[in-house]
Amino acid sequence: DFLFFWGAVFLVTTTLVAFLKKENKELIPAKEETKGITDTYRLLFSIIKMPAVLTFCLLILTSKVGFSAADAVTGLKLVEEGVPKEHLALLAVPMVPLQIILPLIISKYTAGPQPLNTFYKAMPFRLLLGLEFAFLVWWAPKVKHEGGFPLYYYAVVVLSYALHQITLYSMYVAIMAFNAKVSDPLIGGTYMTLLNTVSNLGGNWPSTVALWLVDPLTVKECAGAQGHSCGTAAAAEV
């Protein structure tokens, strides 16, 4: 219902803008970024061919491989271990003010001449938090009791998520600051869109691969079926 409502609002408002909002043709910009779609893609191709841009794209396309599994799978594994979904959803509420405040604080450190320094410094801590998340999943069945999970377990989870948000936003804001800094002002919108798209892709493809690898890498044991393997979905069903 939530998604349906806001989807409808989005469709209505954008349709109204399309039909009711008119461009002011009297005010023509002094220099347009591009003349059309073809020019835009030609410009993007010329940007991508630059050696520095190629190196940077390679960096941000592979930089999140190390913690993709921890980011994508931890919540699912906690649910699998018995942590209620609604409790995990409630734990996300304290993160909202943190997510608002963090960019304001981190932007002070990324405003200098070398914004990527913050990115590099945050990376090892985010990798270590991957081990922390693995520990949380391993610890879950150890502390589980009939009434659910103790409060101290949830406290550790919230603290771990808060630390993760700090490292995540440190890397995110640093990349955004760097993209804004290196983008040519004459083609700033096109330049920024390209770099941000590659940055988003660099975070999405490792998570997709991590989720796809969960099942084949999971060790399964057959209870009461000696000598049989549960390695495949068909075998497990039997």
Side-chain angles (χ1 to χ4, degrees):
D1 290 344
F2 176 84
L3 292 172
F4 179 80
F5 173 79
W6 287 110
V9 170
F10 181 82
L11 287 172
V12 170
T13 51
T14 49
T15 303
L16 289 173
V17 169
F19 284 107
L20 302 180
K21 177 66 178 172
K22 302 298 181 185
E23 296 289 346
N24 189 347
K25 295 182 180 180
E26 294 177 5
L27 297 174
I28 301 172
K31 183 175 179 62
E32 294 184 3
E33 286 191 356
T34 54
K35 295 177 182 178
I37 295 174
T38 307
D39 287 341
T40 302
Y41 279 99
R42 191 180 291 118
L43 181 61
L44 285 172
F45 186 67
S46 65
I47 294 171
I48 291 173
K49 287 195 298 183
M50 296 166 62
V53 174
L54 278 173
T55 304
F56 179 64
C57 287
L58 183 64
L59 166 72
I60 55 179
L61 278 173
T62 55
S63 62
K64 297 177 182 176
V65 171
F67 31 76
S68 58
D71 289 2
V73 183
T74 300
L76 300 173
K77 283 294 177 185
L78 287 175
V79 171
E80 190 178 287
E81 294 296 344
V83 180
K85 293 178 187 176
E86 56 271 24
H87 289 182
L88 282 178
L90 282 173
L91 293 181
V93 174
M95 299 299 112
V96 175
L98 188 65
Q99 290 167 351
I100 295 171
I101 296 167
L102 278 174
L104 298 173
I105 298 171
I106 296 165
S107 61
K108 296 178 182 178
Y109 300 95
T110 57
Q114 296 179 315
L116 280 184
N117 281 350
T118 306
F119 182 93
Y120 296 139
K121 288 175 183 176
M123 183 175 280
F125 293 102
R126 193 168 172 186
L127 288 168
L128 287 172
L129 281 169
L131 296 175
E132 164 74 5
F133 284 171
F135 168 75
L136 287 176
V137 174
W138 172 83
W139 194 31
K142 312 286 184 187
V143 296
K144 186 180 180 182
H145 51 74
E146 291 182 3
F149 290 85
L151 282 175
Y152 64 82
Y153 180 78
Y154 287 117
V156 174
V157 171
V158 169
L159 180 61
S160 301
Y161 271 58
L163 293 172
H164 176 260
Q165 290 295 313
I166 293 172
T167 58
L168 187 151
Y169 273 87
S170 296
M171 296 178 71
Y172 175 76
V173 174
I175 284 287
M176 293 298 109
F178 181 79
N179 290 350
K181 193 174 185 64
V182 301
S183 297
D184 186 342
L186 292 178
I187 51 170
T190 306
Y191 218 122
M192 280 286 289
T193 302
L194 172 67
L195 295 179
N196 290 345
T197 300
V198 176
S199 180
N200 290 335
L201 183 62
N204 289 333
W205 80 261
S207 297
T208 304
V209 173
L211 288 168
W212 181 74
L213 287 172
V214 168
D215 199 48
L217 291 177
T218 299
V219 178
K220 303 178 184 70
E221 296 178 2
C222 297
Q226 299 297 327
H228 291 277
S229 170
C230 295
T232 64
E237 189 176 345
V238 171

